Amino acid sequence: KAGVTQTPRYLIKTRGQQVTLSCSPISGHRSVSWYQQTPGQGLQFLFEYFSETQRNKGNFPGRFSGRQFSNSRSEMNVSTLELGDSALYLCASTPGGADTQYFGPGTRLTVL
Amino acid sequence: AQRVTQPEKLLSVFKGAPVELKCNYSYSGSPELFWYVQYSRQRLQLLLRHISRESIKGFTADLNKGETSFHLKKPFAQEEDSAMYYCALSPQGAQKLVFGQGTRLTINP
């Protein structure tokens, strides 16, 4: 099976812009989770989607949002970008229960 | 509060020596605990989870509920074990991971 894929792999934006990142889970996986990784804060959970519904949410401002489509692909959006949003954004997929999470390679976002 | 603490940011040992990466957690319920590893230029991947009680690549981890610890051990380190190691917990019933800050393990020849 193909692994989790994320597009784009690298992105450069300026403050105030918005950005959309995409994640395609492993075939058959219905749950997609998103994480932000920074040198200072480490890996932090953003949110999790299952069957197009957000099931869990981390402690991030409302500028961070996501959605999941009927084919389980997921997107996350960050509006009004700030310098501190520069990070590696990882997504992970699981079949749906309390399973092992399989991670994608990440999208490196740089905000200038 | 849910928290995972890995007290060592960096750990360096010689090939053939025993390795122990420490992990302590804070959670009021019964969490599921994991060790994830990230080798150079590779994606984050599961090393082991406590419920499976498996030994992967010679690594084992025992859950100590009294000490709220989940330390990762290997009796004889190999150079290919050099990587970033993350301890993580999943709260009961929630599909999310709370990660520690990670420990960079370097195995010297």
Side-chain angles (χ1 to χ4, degrees):
Chain A
K1 279 185 180 176
V4 177
T5 58
Q6 292 186 244
T7 56
R9 293 293 310 280
Y10 302 91
L11 209 46
I12 299 175
K13 293 285 187 179
T14 56
R15 278 184 302 173
Q17 287 187 309
Q18 75 165 12
V19 68
T20 299
L21 313 182
S22 181
C23 172
S24 292
I26 292 171
S27 178
H29 286 194
R30 295 169 65 192
S31 167
V32 173
S33 299
W34 288 89
Y35 296 83
Q36 182 195 63
Q37 185 175 27
T38 60
Q41 300 298 317
L43 280 153
Q44 293 185 285
F45 172 77
L46 281 155
F47 29 64
E48 184 243 350
Y49 286 86
F50 177 79
S51 291
E52 302 177 66
T53 301
Q54 187 181 88
R55 280 200 304 195
N56 294 284
K57 189 176 188 303
N59 296 323
F60 278 81
R63 299 186 298 107
F64 291 82
S65 63
R67 60 177 175 167
Q68 187 180 33
F69 302 95
S70 57
N71 62 358
S72 294
R73 189 177 71 84
S74 177
E75 289 181 346
M76 67 162 281
N77 184 76
V78 188
S79 62
T80 321
L81 283 166
E82 300 177 0
L83 296 179
D85 297 333
S86 293
L88 182 68
Y89 290 89
L90 297 173
C91 83
S93 75
T94 77
D99 303 295
T100 299
Q101 296 200 18
Y102 294 87
F103 283 83
T107 294
R108 170 79 59 190
L109 171 65
T110 302
V111 182
L112 302 176
Chain B
Q2 305 154 7
R3 181 170 291 177
V4 176
T5 303
Q6 294 179 249
E8 304 133 332
K9 273 193 169 181
L10 303 170
L11 184 62
S12 182
V13 301
F14 286 101
K15 178 182 171 182
V19 174
E20 182 177 42
L21 288 81
K22 291 185 167 51
C23 172
N24 290 91
Y25 67 91
S26 171
Y27 180 63
S28 54
S30 296
E32 189 160 350
L33 286 144
F34 305 81
W35 277 97
Y36 278 82
V37 61
Q38 188 164 31
Y39 300 103
S40 180
R41 298 190 185 85
Q42 294 187 28
R43 61 185 69 188
L44 198 59
Q45 59 187 284
L46 178 72
L47 180 62
L48 56 80
R49 56 193 296 184
H50 89 272
I51 61 166
S52 64
R53 303 189 67 82
E54 290 177 312
S55 171
I56 308 294
K57 299 187 178 184
F59 285 98
T60 59
D62 288 320
L63 176 60
N64 185 322
K65 291 186 178 180
E67 295 182 358
T68 58
S69 68
F70 189 56
H71 303 327
L72 183 68
K73 299 177 184 180
K74 184 169 182 176
F76 308 103
Q78 298 175 293
E79 288 186 63
E80 54 264 35
D81 295 330
S82 293
M84 192 74 179
Y85 290 79
Y86 294 95
C87 182
L89 75 78
S90 182
Q92 200 169 14
Q95 189 66 20
K96 63 181 263 190
L97 290 169
V98 177
F99 284 93
Q101 289 287 78
T103 297
R104 182 167 297 283
L105 175 64
T106 301
I107 308 301
N108 300 304

